[in-house]
């Protein structure tokens, strides 16, 4: 939905050609074209609401983007969800980060989860533990899930996605 030749979303890796190069302490930038949000406000406002609700959310602001002298307009600059983000928001960057695009814990869908960090480590055991917990009886489900995940945080996250109308997030997909 946001693909376009005239105004593409961009990921900038500062060390792509110059080793260890960074800008303002960042190794990379994610610049969203916000094609589906002409106001260019929804993403930053939503992340601010997530943080107000006590949830971890990327930092977000706006950037005027020019490429090779061609002004592309205002973009939404969002924290890249990589190890520096994890380290800044959690005790360490040792945890596994997964992306679940059109993913579910049903049989046949587990391979749709993409491991984003520590790719040398097979972290799928933690996802399988969640999948297994979902087979608990109704009476034991919440307690069983709570042993393999922070269920309260997850429910808060899910509720915030619904409140902000994030149709392209985990809850919407």
């Amino acid at each position: 939905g946001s693909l376009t030749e005239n105004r593409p979303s961009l990921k900038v890796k500062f060390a792509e050609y110059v080793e260890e190069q960074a800008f303002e302490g960042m190794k990379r930038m994610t610049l969203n074209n916000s094609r589906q949000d002409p106001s260019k406000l929804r993403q930053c406002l939503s992340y601010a609401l997530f943080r107000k609700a006590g949830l971890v959310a990327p930092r977000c602001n706006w950037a005027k983007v020019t490429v090779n002298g061609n002004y592309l307009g205002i973009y939404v600059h969002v924290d890249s969800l990589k190890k520096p983000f994890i380290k800044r928001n959690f005790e360490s960057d040792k945890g596994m980060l997964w992306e679940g695009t059109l993913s579910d814990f049903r049989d046949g869908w587990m391979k749709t989860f993409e491991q984003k960090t520590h790719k040398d480590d097979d972290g799928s055991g933690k996802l399988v533990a969640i999948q297994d917990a979902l087979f608990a009886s109704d009476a034991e489900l919440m307690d069983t899930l709570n042993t393999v995940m922070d269920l309260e945080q997850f429910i808060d996250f899910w509720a915030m996605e619904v409140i902000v109308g994030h149709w392209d997030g985990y809850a919407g997909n």
Side-chain angles (χ1 to χ4, degrees):
S2 60
L3 295 177
T4 172
E5 288 182 22
N6 302 350
R7 208 175 116 74
S9 289
L10 304 166
K11 291 200 184 244
V12 179
K13 295 179 186 176
F14 295 111
E16 184 71 19
Y17 302 106
V18 177
E19 198 172 317
E20 299 298 318
Q21 181 171 261
F23 175 73
E24 299 288 328
M26 297 180 293
K27 293 181 179 182
R28 65 184 73 230
M29 288 177 78
T30 300
L31 298 163
N32 292 339
N33 64 8
S34 294
R35 183 174 179 201
Q36 297 171 332
D37 175 19
S39 74
K40 295 172 187 40
L41 295 172
R42 288 184 59 89
Q43 192 168 21
C44 292
L45 290 175
S46 293
Y47 287 154
L49 287 171
F50 272 68
R51 284 190 296 280
K52 288 281 188 190
L55 297 165
V56 171
R59 296 176 299 183
C60 186
N61 61 16
W62 297 270
K64 292 181 179 180
V65 175
T66 301
V67 176
N68 297 329
N70 183 25
Y71 178 66
L72 299 180
I74 303 292
Y75 276 65
V76 177
H77 170 219
V78 182
D79 249 344
S80 295
L81 300 183
K82 299 289 185 184
K83 283 185 178 183
F85 170 83
I86 295 168
K87 192 171 188 170
R88 192 172 50 255
N89 288 285
F90 299 96
E91 292 176 16
S92 77
D93 63 1
K94 302 293 183 229
M96 299 270 180
L97 178 65
W98 292 85
E99 183 172 357
T101 304
L102 297 173
S103 298
D104 201 348
F105 289 97
R106 292 176 286 159
D107 286 336
W109 287 77
M110 292 292 285
K111 292 187 189 273
T112 61
F113 286 98
E114 181 185 354
Q115 188 172 337
K116 302 301 263 183
T117 59
H118 306 292
K119 293 181 182 181
D120 297 339
D121 241 352
D122 179 15
S124 62
K126 295 186 185 225
L127 292 178
V128 171
I130 295 170
Q131 183 184 39
D132 291 345
L134 290 168
F135 287 102
S137 68
D138 288 350
E140 297 175 350
L141 181 62
M142 299 305 231
D143 288 337
T144 305
L145 279 171
N146 234 350
T147 65
V148 294
M149 65 187 293
D150 186 335
L151 192 55
E152 186 175 338
Q153 279 284 105
F154 181 75
I155 291 170
D156 289 351
F157 165 79
W158 194 292
M160 283 306 298
E161 279 203 338
V162 171
I163 287 168
V164 301
H166 186 47
W167 60 269
D168 196 26
Y170 188 77
N173 283 316

